[in-house]
Amino acid sequence: MHCIQYIAVKADSKEDAHGEVKGYLEHNMGDEQNLSSWYDWFVTGGGRWSTDTDPYNDEYTGDVVHQSDPKFQEYLDTAHKFRLAQLNQHIEQAREINLSDLLDKLEDFEHDHFKVGMDLYPINKLYDLAIGSWDYNSYFFDIVNDSTNRKYMLDTIDNGADNWYLVPVDFHF
């Protein structure tokens, strides 16, 4: 599966922003023997969401945007919209869980652990979203503040920072 993420970084240019994000993601990914992340490969610059004719061009910087570019807010709004949709989906799934039945299953976890796992999935995803765990549901990640919350980046912009960039990344997981 693929998902788009908008990665926030401070840099001096589009090229520097692209390089910082690519290096950060490569470092955190691990390798084929030891995946240490939720993704197994990625295309920095947007991949299938890129405006480049080659969706696998990992050097493309044409869709990297500086905070002064109107697309910066468009990217933030898109990420926020998708994240809210995921949140609402997990809330609706969690509402369908009968807590009493779930607790009964947990008492017999040894024999019914697969079913319990599926029942707990929406609750786990709600927890992940609430604490800011970075995964395919986040759509935004700030590598400077190590956060899925855009508030920290926006606060620094409000206080005069002028070197923020958003780098679209196509993740495969």
Side-chain angles (χ1 to χ4, degrees):
M1 301 223 6
H2 287 258
C3 70
I4 185 73
Q5 297 264 338
Y6 298 98
I7 310 299
V9 63
K10 285 183 174 183
D12 293 325
S13 68
K14 283 183 170 190
E15 294 74 22
D16 288 349
H18 183 281
E20 286 286 324
V21 168
K22 186 175 180 179
Y24 178 92
L25 297 174
E26 286 173 347
H27 175 76
N28 287 307
M29 183 171 61
D31 58 34
E32 61 275 349
Q33 305 302 318
N34 182 25
L35 283 179
S36 56
S37 63
W38 58 266
Y39 52 93
D40 57 358
W41 58 271
F42 61 91
V43 180
T44 314
R48 63 182 56 202
W49 287 272
S50 170
T51 57
D52 190 21
T53 56
D54 177 6
Y56 297 103
N57 181 357
D58 200 30
E59 302 302 320
Y60 184 66
T61 62
D63 293 318
V64 176
V65 295
H66 181 262
Q67 70 190 62
S68 63
D69 187 317
K71 281 195 166 206
F72 191 87
Q73 187 61 49
E74 181 184 319
Y75 285 177
L76 288 177
D77 292 345
T78 298
H80 190 65
K81 177 182 81 172
F82 288 139
R83 187 169 181 173
L84 286 179
Q86 286 294 326
L87 175 65
N88 289 331
Q89 179 183 2
H90 294 311
I91 287 172
E92 290 308 311
Q93 290 171 343
R95 284 189 174 139
E96 294 176 13
I97 296 171
N98 181 318
L99 185 57
S100 180
D101 288 348
L102 179 60
L103 293 173
D104 288 344
K105 289 177 190 172
L106 285 170
E107 286 178 345
D108 191 28
F109 182 73
E110 276 296 311
H111 299 101
D112 208 7
H113 65 281
F114 290 116
K115 202 166 197 175
V116 171
M118 291 309 294
D119 288 343
L120 288 174
Y121 179 78
I123 295 170
N124 182 57
K125 294 316 295 175
L126 283 174
Y127 176 76
D128 286 348
L129 284 165
I131 66 167
S133 294
W134 181 43
D135 68 8
Y136 57 89
N137 285 319
S138 302
Y139 299 99
F140 169 84
F141 187 64
D142 172 350
I143 66 173
V144 173
N145 295 295
D146 195 32
S147 177
T148 59
N149 190 334
R150 58 192 187 162
K151 175 191 181 333
Y152 306 111
M153 175 193 68
L154 294 174
D155 284 350
T156 66
I157 291 172
D158 288 345
N159 289 324
D162 65 354
N163 58 340
W164 282 96
Y165 287 84
L166 288 177
V167 179
V169 179
D170 176 358
F171 286 95
H172 182 267
F173 60 98

